[in-house]
Amino acid sequence: MTQSKIFSRIIGTGSYLPENVVTNEQLAQKLGQRGIETSDEWIVSRTGIHQRHQASPEETTSTLAIQAAQRALENAGVSAKDLDLIILATSTPDFIFPSTACLVQSALGNQGAATFDVQAVCSGFVYALTTADSFIRAGRAKNALVIGAEVFTRILDWNDRGTCVLFGDGAGAVVLQASDQPGIEAARLNADGSLNQILNVPGQVRDGAVTGDPFLRMDGQAVFKQAVSVLERSARDTLADAGLTTADLDWMIPHQANLRILAFLSKKLAMPMEQVIVTLDQHANTSAASVPLALDAARRDGRIKDGQRVLLQGVGGGFTWGSVVATMG
Ligand code: UT7
C-alpha cells in the first residue's frame, strides 16, 4: 500500500505589538538629552524606520507571545489543547530556562505538546517554521504553533546611536497544520558561524552576575553586505528547490531590518516593491518577530490571500539566514 505524502499548511496568523509607540522624533529628543545626536531625517533616509513599539516594564517576551499565539489560534480555528508542537523563536527569552515556549504553553492551557525555543536571532522565525514543517512532514506532529517574539529594546545600548534607533518589540505567530496538499513547498536554512562577531550580544551570566558586554553590538556595514548577498542567493536556491522562479510569487516578506535591503532585493530578484511587504517603517526591526508580524499585518489588511504564494526570509546574528516558500491557507 502506498502512503500519501504529508505536507504542512499555514492556516492562521496572529500578532501583538506593545501599546507604547516611540517615534523617531521622540527617540531623537530622548537621546539628545544624553548628548547623543540623531534625527528623524537620518533614521528615515538610512533605514526607512519611522517608529517602533516598546514593551512596558511589566511586559516580557512571553506576554507578547501569548497574545500573538491566542490571535493565531483564533484565526486558525484551532484549540490550544489540540497543539502537539510549540516552537518559539527568540533571542530575548524571559529566563535562561525554562524556555519561553514552555511559559506560553502553560498560559495557553496546553499540556503535553513538544515545546522548545529556537535561537537563531533575526532568522529565528524562519528556522522555527522550517523545524515545525519538518516535524509535520515526518508525521511527528499535526498541529504546530510557531512564534517569533522579542523585547529587543531591553538589550540596546542607548549610548550607541548606530544600533539603538533600529530595533523594536513585538510578537507574531502562525498555526501550521498537516495536510495532503502543500503548504510549505520548500525551505532552506544556512549559517556561517565564522561571522559570529559582526552581530552579537557577547555578555555571559557567570557566578551571579553578567560578565562581558550585555548589549547588542553590530558592524552595520558588514551585516548589510552579508544580508543582501545571502538573501538573494537563498531566494533563488529555495525557489529552484520548489521548481519555481520569482515570477511564481505573489508576495515577498524579507526580514524587516532596512528598507534599502528590501529595495536591493526587489531589484535583484525583479519583484516590484508593490509585492514586497514592508512593516519596518511602523515596527522597526523586531528580530525573530519581524517576518510573522509582517505576514499577519498583510493577511489582516487583505493583501495576502489564501491560495497566494509567499516567500518568507530571515537573516541575522550567527550569522544565520533562511527562506521558506509557502502557499497560504
Ligand atoms: O537584524 C539583523 C539584520 N540587520 C541589518 O540588516 C542591519 C544592516 N545594516 C544597516 O542597516 C546599516 O548599516 C545601518 C542602518 C546600521 C547604518 O547605515 P549606514 O549607511 O551603513 O551608516 P554608517 O554606519 O556607515 O554610518 C554613517 C554615518 C557615521 O558618521 P560618519 O562616521 O560618517 O561621520 C555614523 O556615525 O552615520 C552616523 N550615524 C548616525 N548619525 C545619526 C550612525 N548612526 C546614526 C544615527 N543618527 N542614529
Side-chain angles (χ1 to χ4, degrees), residues 10 12-19 53 59 61-76 125 145-150 169-175 253 277 279 282-283 286 288-301 303:
I10 299 173
T13 60
S15 60
Y16 179 76
L17 289 158
E19 263 176 41
H53 291 246
E59 286 177 310
T61 291
S62 72
T63 60
L64 308 188
I66 291 160
Q67 301 277 348
Q70 284 168 337
R71 291 174 185 182
L73 288 167
E74 194 181 302
N75 184 245
F125 179 77
L145 176 65
V146 183
I147 309 166
E150 303 277 15
D169 303 329
V174 306
V175 176
I253 309 185
I277 305 295
T279 51
Q282 300 299 307
H283 307 165
T286 56
S290 99
V291 170
L293 263 168
L295 176 64
D296 186 53
R299 274 186 89 232
R300 284 179 193 257
D301 71 19
R303 274 179 293 170

Side-chain angles (χ1 to χ4, degrees), residues 122-274:
C122 302
S123 311
F125 179 77
V126 169
Y127 264 66
L129 186 63
T130 303
T131 305
D133 174 58
S134 305
F135 267 69
I136 289 177
R137 292 165 77 97
R140 295 211 166 93
K142 285 199 166 63
N143 289 306
L145 176 65
V146 183
I147 309 166
E150 303 277 15
V151 285
F152 250 53
T153 61
R154 301 267 162 84
I155 54 167
L156 299 177
D157 177 357
W158 298 103
N159 293 311
D160 177 8
R161 68 177 181 173
T163 54
C164 73
V165 302
L166 304 175
F167 296 91
D169 303 329
V174 306
V175 176
L176 211 57
Q177 191 168 64
S179 166
D180 54 7
Q181 299 294 318
I184 291 184
E185 293 163 277
R188 272 200 186 217
L189 302 178
N190 296 99
D192 180 352
S194 73
L195 297 172
N196 68 80
Q197 305 237 346
I198 64 174
L199 177 51
N200 59 9
V201 180
Q204 300 171 335
V205 173
R206 191 180 289 191
D207 300 330
V210 177
T211 61
D213 183 351
F215 293 118
L216 181 149
R217 301 296 174 202
M218 178 168 74
D219 177 343
Q221 288 193 1
V223 170
F224 193 102
K225 275 190 207 133
Q226 277 300 322
V228 291
S229 139
V230 299
L231 287 177
E232 182 193 351
R233 195 167 69 239
S234 178
R236 291 191 196 285
D237 289 347
T238 311
L239 285 165
D241 289 346
L244 302 169
T245 70
T246 48
D248 300 305
L249 289 174
D250 295 293
W251 300 101
M252 249 178 79
I253 309 185
H255 172 49
Q256 306 284 308
N258 189 317
L259 192 58
R260 289 187 287 140
I261 295 179
L262 273 50
F264 177 93
L265 285 172
S266 152
K267 198 166 151 212
K268 283 282 183 185
L269 297 170
M271 277 289 283
M273 274 309 278
E274 292 71 36

Side-chain angles (χ1 to χ4, degrees), residues 8-176:
S8 75
R9 298 185 73 85
I10 299 173
I11 60 160
T13 60
S15 60
Y16 179 76
L17 289 158
E19 263 176 41
N20 182 30
V21 173
V22 182
T23 64
N24 290 347
E25 287 290 2
Q26 288 167 329
L27 187 55
Q29 232 175 36
K30 193 176 117 188
L31 295 179
Q33 286 161 6
R34 303 162 151 248
I36 315 269
E37 228 182 278
T38 188
S39 64
D40 177 55
E41 195 279 327
W42 190 94
I43 302 169
V44 172
S45 65
R46 298 295 178 114
T47 71
I49 294 165
H50 289 262
Q51 61 175 46
R52 73 282 297 136
H53 291 246
Q54 187 166 5
S56 68
E58 297 74 38
E59 286 177 310
T60 62
T61 291
S62 72
T63 60
L64 308 188
I66 291 160
Q67 301 277 348
Q70 284 168 337
R71 291 174 185 182
L73 288 167
E74 194 181 302
N75 184 245
V78 168
S79 159
K81 295 195 168 31
D82 294 330
L83 294 171
D84 44 18
L85 177 65
I86 301 172
I87 310 180
L88 186 146
T90 191
S91 299
T92 48
D94 284 25
F95 306 119
I96 292 175
F97 69 79
S99 70
T100 305
C102 280
L103 306 178
V104 174
Q105 178 195 32
S106 166
L108 294 177
N110 173 277
Q111 277 197 328
T115 300
F116 57 94
D117 286 359
V118 157
Q119 217 285 37
V121 201
C122 302
S123 311
F125 179 77
V126 169
Y127 264 66
L129 186 63
T130 303
T131 305
D133 174 58
S134 305
F135 267 69
I136 289 177
R137 292 165 77 97
R140 295 211 166 93
K142 285 199 166 63
N143 289 306
L145 176 65
V146 183
I147 309 166
E150 303 277 15
V151 285
F152 250 53
T153 61
R154 301 267 162 84
I155 54 167
L156 299 177
D157 177 357
W158 298 103
N159 293 311
D160 177 8
R161 68 177 181 173
T163 54
C164 73
V165 302
L166 304 175
F167 296 91
D169 303 329
V174 306
V175 176
L176 211 57

